[in-house]
Amino acid sequence: MRPPSISRRGLLCGCAGLVAAGGLAGLADLGVAAADRRGIGGDRLRIGYLPITDAAPLLIAERGPEFAQPVLFRSWSALAEAFLTRQVDIVHLLMPMAIQLRFGLGAPARILGWNHTNGSALTVAPGITEPGELAGTQVAIPFWWSIHNIVIQQWLRANGLRPVIRSSASRSAGTVELIVMSPSDMIPALANGSISAFTVADPFNAGAELRGVGHIHRFLGDLWRDHACCALVVHQDLLDSRPAVAQAVVDAVVAAQLRIGADRPAAAKQLAGRYLPQPLPAITKALTYSDRIPVRHPGWHPQRIGFQPFPFPSFTAALATAMHDTVVDGDTRFLSRLDPASAHGELVDDRFVRSALDRAGGPAAFGLPPGLTRIEEIDPS
C-alpha cells in the first residue's frame, strides 16, 4: 500500500498538528536550517537532530563533502516540521513518529536503519519510590508518537494507574496526566515541581541525577528489551535518485556505531560541546551506566544504550500494534488502515543496512543473530 499523497494544505495542517502536539514550533531552528541551505545552494544534504545520545552515530559518523553540518533542533515537532518541509534531508526520528509521518500524513519517509536501542528512562522526583505515588500528578513525555509514551502507558496500566490527557489527574481515581514537553525543559520542570516525573532519552535522565533533582526509576529497556527509540529517516527520492549517497550514509553510521561500542568515553568527548550542550559528565554517564544498577531484567542490560543498525521487522509490527492502544492528543484515524503485518515493508528499506553489515563483519560484529530475526520481549510490569 502506497502512502496517500500529501497536498500542500495537508502538509501544512500536519505540521500545525505536530507543533500543537509537540510543544514549541522551533521557528528559530527552522530559520537556521533554511539559512544553511541558502548558503550552500541546496546541493549538500542537511542533517537534523535533537541533542540526545540517541543521535550519536549520526553525529560522529564520518561525512563526506556532500553533507552539511548537522543542525540542532530543540523539539521533535520542530524536527519533523523541518523534515516535512524539506529543510533537512536526513534525521534521527522517533520510530512511532516516522510511522505517523508516512501513514498519517502521507510523507514519503523511509527508515534506513536504527540509530540505537534502549537509551531512555523514567526519571522521577526525589522521594518518589513507588508507581502509585505518581497518581494525581503530571508526567512529561517528549512527543505523543514516541516509544516513551507507548511504553509508559503500558507501565502505568500494569501498575494499576490510568493515563489521561487534557484532564487533571486525580489521586483518588489513580490517574496520571501525560503532557508533551521538549526534552530540554524537563529537568527544570522536575526541579521546580511542576511535574512529578519525565520519560525521555538520555542524557537528560543522567543530567537530572547529577543535578540532584530526580532519580531514574526504570529504564525503558527494562520494559521492552532492546527497543528502538530513534531510526535513521530520509525521503524516498534520495533512495531513488542517489542510492550511492544513501549507502554512504548508512555505511558511515554503521561504522560510527562500532566505534562508539568500542570506546564509549571517547564518544562522549566527541559529542560534548560540539554537538550536545549537556556537560561531559552527564553524556559520559548516559553512555556508560554501570551493570550494577538494580534492574528487573539484568540479562537484558536495560541501562546500557546499544548501537546496532538493523531494524527488526518484529519490532515494527509490535510497535504498530501498540500504537493502536496508546492514548494521544491528535488525529488517530490513520491507525484504522495501519496493518502491523505490512507496516515494516512499506516504511523500512533495509537493503543499505544489510550491505553495510556485510562490510562491517556481518551481524556477529554487533552481537546480532545470523538470521536477523528476533522475538520481542516486553514486560511492562
Side-chain angles (χ1 to χ4, degrees), residues 4 27 41 91 120 227 265 275:
L27 295 179
V91 294
S120 296
H227 64 277
Y275 295 117

Side-chain angles (χ1 to χ4, degrees), residues 179-246:
I179 60 171
V180 167
M181 184 177 289
S182 296
S184 59
D185 294 329
M186 290 182 177
I187 293 178
L190 190 65
N192 66 31
S194 60
I195 59 174
S196 64
F198 63 74
T199 176
V200 74
D202 264 317
F204 295 101
N205 304 288
E209 288 201 329
L210 289 173
R211 288 183 53 182
V213 301
H215 63 93
I216 293 173
H217 182 73
R218 291 295 295 274
F219 290 97
L220 297 197
D222 209 18
L223 305 174
W224 189 329
R225 184 175 188 175
D226 290 337
H227 64 277
C229 170
C230 296
L232 187 65
V233 180
V234 299
H235 298 281
Q236 177 66 54
D237 56 16
L238 177 65
L239 311 186
D240 296 336
S241 62
R242 304 173 71 182
V245 172

Side-chain angles (χ1 to χ4, degrees), residues 61-360:
E62 294 184 1
R63 296 181 294 273
E66 65 270 33
F67 297 97
Q69 283 298 307
V71 177
L72 185 152
F73 291 81
R74 288 185 288 270
S75 69
W76 288 112
S77 59
L79 182 60
E81 184 178 356
F83 181 77
L84 283 172
T85 56
R86 300 287 181 137
Q87 298 293 334
V88 292
D89 306 292
I90 304 168
V91 294
H92 74 108
L93 206 63
L94 297 163
M95 267 205 69
M97 180 187 284
I99 291 176
Q100 179 206 18
L101 293 188
R102 184 166 181 89
F103 299 102
L105 297 181
R110 295 301 298 269
I111 289 176
L112 296 183
W114 288 357
N115 250 24
H116 70 102
T117 58
N118 296 338
S120 296
L122 170 66
T123 295
V124 299
I128 291 180
T129 60
E130 299 295 333
E133 294 173 299
L134 296 177
T137 71
Q138 288 186 326
V139 173
I141 59 174
F143 197 77
W144 293 118
W145 291 123
S146 66
I147 192 70
H148 312 89
N149 188 32
I150 291 169
V151 172
I152 209 63
Q153 288 194 26
Q154 293 175 336
W155 178 79
L156 288 170
R157 294 188 183 101
N159 285 279
L161 299 171
R162 182 166 61 90
V164 296
I165 59 176
R166 288 195 175 186
S167 175
S168 296
S170 166
R171 183 174 296 277
S172 61
T175 58
V176 177
E177 184 183 5
L178 299 177
I179 60 171
V180 167
M181 184 177 289
S182 296
S184 59
D185 294 329
M186 290 182 177
I187 293 178
L190 190 65
N192 66 31
S194 60
I195 59 174
S196 64
F198 63 74
T199 176
V200 74
D202 264 317
F204 295 101
N205 304 288
E209 288 201 329
L210 289 173
R211 288 183 53 182
V213 301
H215 63 93
I216 293 173
H217 182 73
R218 291 295 295 274
F219 290 97
L220 297 197
D222 209 18
L223 305 174
W224 189 329
R225 184 175 188 175
D226 290 337
H227 64 277
C229 170
C230 296
L232 187 65
V233 180
V234 299
H235 298 281
Q236 177 66 54
D237 56 16
L238 177 65
L239 311 186
D240 296 336
S241 62
R242 304 173 71 182
V245 172
Q247 186 66 66
V249 170
V250 178
D251 288 346
V253 168
V254 169
Q257 289 172 323
L258 283 175
R259 292 200 307 275
I260 295 171
D263 193 341
R264 290 167 179 257
K269 291 179 181 178
Q270 282 186 270
L271 294 167
R274 183 178 182 185
Y275 295 117
L276 303 188
Q278 297 89 351
L280 177 60
I283 300 170
T284 302
K285 181 176 182 177
L287 292 178
T288 60
Y289 283 118
S290 170
D291 286 339
R292 293 189 295 272
I293 296 175
V295 295
R296 178 162 297 184
H297 301 285
W300 293 7
H301 303 290
Q303 74 280 12
R304 193 169 180 83
I305 184 172
F307 295 100
Q308 73 84 9
F310 189 75
F312 287 97
S314 59
F315 177 79
T316 308
L319 182 65
T321 298
M323 289 173 68
H324 284 82
D325 301 321
T326 303
V327 178
V328 301
D329 186 4
D331 187 359
T332 61
R333 289 175 296 178
F334 73 95
L335 293 176
S336 65
R337 59 180 183 272
L338 177 61
D339 179 8
S342 62
H344 185 85
E346 298 170 36
L347 178 64
V348 178
D349 188 333
D350 66 10
R351 293 174 296 159
F352 304 96
V353 72
R354 287 179 181 273
S355 295
L357 277 173
D358 288 342
R359 283 189 285 275

